[in-house]
Amino acid sequence: MTYGDVAGPLTFAMAEILTHGKPYAELGGKHATRYEPKPGFQERAELVLRYRAMVLEYARDLGKPLVHALGGTPLVRSWAGWLDKAVPDRASLPGGRVANADELSSQHPNLLVDLWRQAAVVAVVAREREMQPLLATMNRAQELVVLKDIGDLIRAMFRLDDRYHRLPGWQPLAGTKGGRLDRNLPTDRVVRNGTAAIRKFVEWIEPQLTPEGYTVDRLGYEPARPAHPGGTEMSEAVGALERLADVLGEETLRASSMRVLLRAQKAVSAQVSRLAGLAGDVSAQAGFQVRAKIYSDLVAATREVHGLVGDGVYSVSYSTVALDALTRARGADIAGVRRLGEALDEVDLRLHASLTGAVRRGDYFVRGAEVMVRRAGGVYASRASFEPMTVGNATGFHATLPALLPASRPQPAAAESVARRVAFGEMLAKAGLETINGEYLQRRARARLAEQRTQARIRASS
């Protein structure tokens, strides 16, 4: 497992977690005072705490040696001290422990909890196998890239801290109150804690990053190659993907089936990327990671797409068969990976043609403006309206769809690693992390000024 096998899935998992804006409700918390929490809410909340602790332990154990190796600037020293305080003590977690083997290996029915589980699994495997070989082989440029990744990971944790503060027993990160800076701290300590320290640390590293540093994605643990790579699982997966390409030329996908198929192909890309890494084909591994990102973008762009025309049961079935076979595969050779790549290219071409034709025929709709409808008795009520999907009302979908064509797909390189991390950083900034404290102070100042003006008017009138 190389560092790229860790950074990619962990970044994807955290980005997906950030898209869930109401975790308390999604985990089953009570909707209002008259409603009780759904059964299992407490257990789900405790699982999230245990999973988060494992991700934080990974960030601490990987980051501290690198921080100390950078030198003794005050900013670096303060960040090293903060890492120790940020990770909760295991005894303070629910049940006095982190997640056990069953909780890590079993898929959770709740989507948000399972995303945290995936992040924790990657973090645990990295700590056990990938970390020591990685620390022994990195140069300074590569160390800076890893530290930037850790900084972005902690920035995401801060943003999530603000959302999850209502969960039972939630433990805020050190120097914060529910994800925000603890303003009761002395001024000289505030800059060494919380979001301010993270932002300053990341801004200090960013100008020093070089393309050479992103070669760290190829370093880490190298597993033993299986004696007989491939086997029946590879043949089964290739056959299912070839049949999927044939079916896509015959079958029209309804909106619900399309979303399931896109999620399945995202998972297929991740599994083929894993097998390419086992085969030693670094270029193909990066290429399949790019494909997974494209399908992830399509999944996000089609969440509000509706349409009942067509079916898609056969396409979804063959995708599921291919994913199951790839999950069971324990190894592959370069020839097998290339066969998978050729089959996936054909799937992408057929899927692009199918989706383009469905949009052109008007099979898909997006939610439009609310309209007022008159009912019996003269009562008006609002009702959702739907309009055919176009470039104007589905810009994300139409911008991402051409990337399905292999010829127009971004080529994996060091630039792709940079772009993935930059996009994650921009996502964090867009979520409001960088301006939260400045906006808070501005609101306080405006409120104080308005209060002073009101009091002046009262005194003048009296």
Side-chain angles (χ1 to χ4, degrees), residues 59-83:
R60 177 196 62 191
D61 295 347
L62 181 58
K64 281 191 65 177
L66 302 180
V67 166
H68 288 299
L70 283 180
T73 65
L75 182 62
V76 173
R77 287 200 304 270
S78 66
W79 175 232
W82 187 90
L83 272 173

Side-chain angles (χ1 to χ4, degrees), residues 273 276 281-291 410-413 416:
S273 177
D281 194 338
V282 178
S283 177
Q285 181 183 15
F288 292 124
Q289 290 175 0
V290 172
R291 185 178 187 271
Q411 294 301 314
E416 177 62 31

Side-chain angles (χ1 to χ4, degrees), residues 13-332:
M14 296 307 300
E16 289 286 338
I17 290 171
L18 281 168
T19 62
H20 293 259
K22 298 180 180 179
Y24 186 83
E26 292 186 46
L27 294 176
K30 59 182 180 180
H31 179 66
T33 55
R34 60 182 179 178
Y35 296 114
E36 294 299 324
K38 295 181 180 178
F41 169 65
Q42 182 72 29
E43 291 75 10
R44 288 189 286 271
E46 291 178 354
L47 273 177
V48 170
L49 275 168
R50 294 189 183 115
Y51 292 143
R52 184 191 74 149
M54 303 178 89
V55 177
L56 286 171
E57 287 179 353
Y58 158 77
R60 177 196 62 191
D61 295 347
L62 181 58
K64 281 191 65 177
L66 302 180
V67 166
H68 288 299
L70 283 180
T73 65
L75 182 62
V76 173
R77 287 200 304 270
S78 66
W79 175 232
W82 187 90
L83 272 173
D84 279 331
K85 296 186 295 181
V87 182
D89 183 40
R90 291 193 174 190
S92 65
L93 296 172
R97 61 176 178 84
V98 293
N100 56 34
D102 290 338
E103 293 167 343
L104 288 173
S105 60
S106 302
Q107 184 176 0
H108 200 279
N110 184 279
L111 176 60
L112 184 55
V113 176
D114 198 62
L115 287 172
W116 278 104
R117 179 191 68 84
Q118 294 172 28
V121 168
V122 174
V124 169
V125 174
R127 287 182 67 224
E128 296 296 328
R129 298 197 311 184
E130 173 262 343
M131 188 177 298
Q132 294 305 320
L134 182 67
L135 291 172
T137 54
M138 283 190 295
N139 55 35
R140 179 180 173 81
Q142 294 166 339
E143 291 173 352
L144 290 174
V145 169
V146 175
L147 282 172
K148 170 64 165 56
D149 292 343
I150 294 174
D152 283 341
L153 176 62
I154 299 298
R155 290 166 67 200
M157 289 293 186
F158 268 114
R159 184 58 186 162
L160 295 169
D161 215 30
D162 187 42
R163 297 181 186 173
Y164 285 64
H165 68 279
R166 294 180 60 198
L167 292 185
W170 187 256
Q171 300 172 343
L173 296 176
T176 71
K177 285 184 175 179
R180 301 170 187 265
L181 281 177
D182 186 350
R183 294 177 182 83
N184 294 323
L185 291 172
T187 303
D188 60 336
R189 288 187 60 197
V190 168
V191 298
R192 292 184 171 87
N193 288 273
T195 56
I198 292 289
R199 179 172 54 82
K200 290 180 179 293
F201 186 74
V202 171
E203 289 176 352
W204 176 74
I205 286 180
E206 282 180 339
Q208 306 178 57
L209 299 180
T210 62
E212 176 196 356
Y214 288 94
T215 57
V216 69
D217 286 350
R218 303 178 184 179
L219 302 180
Y221 176 79
E222 291 293 341
R225 302 284 171 81
H228 301 286
T232 57
E233 292 85 1
M234 293 289 290
S235 300
E236 182 181 350
V238 171
L241 291 173
E242 290 175 347
R243 184 61 184 139
L244 170 61
D246 295 336
V247 169
L248 283 172
E250 307 166 357
E251 193 173 40
T252 300
L253 298 173
R254 71 168 60 189
S256 57
S257 299
M258 173 188 64
R259 287 192 291 270
V260 175
L261 177 62
L262 293 176
R263 287 196 295 268
Q265 286 302 305
K266 173 186 172 183
V268 165
S269 300
Q271 290 296 330
V272 180
S273 177
R274 173 182 67 85
L275 294 174
L278 295 177
D281 194 338
V282 178
S283 177
Q285 181 183 15
F288 292 124
Q289 290 175 0
V290 172
R291 185 178 187 271
K293 178 63 170 60
I294 292 171
Y295 275 94
S296 178
D297 293 341
L298 284 173
V299 169
T302 55
R303 283 174 179 164
E304 298 299 327
V305 174
H306 306 269
L308 298 177
V309 177
D311 193 354
V313 61
Y314 293 107
S315 299
V316 171
S317 299
Y318 281 116
S319 288
T320 305
V321 170
L323 178 59
D324 179 66
L326 291 170
T327 304
R328 288 184 280 109
R330 291 292 174 263

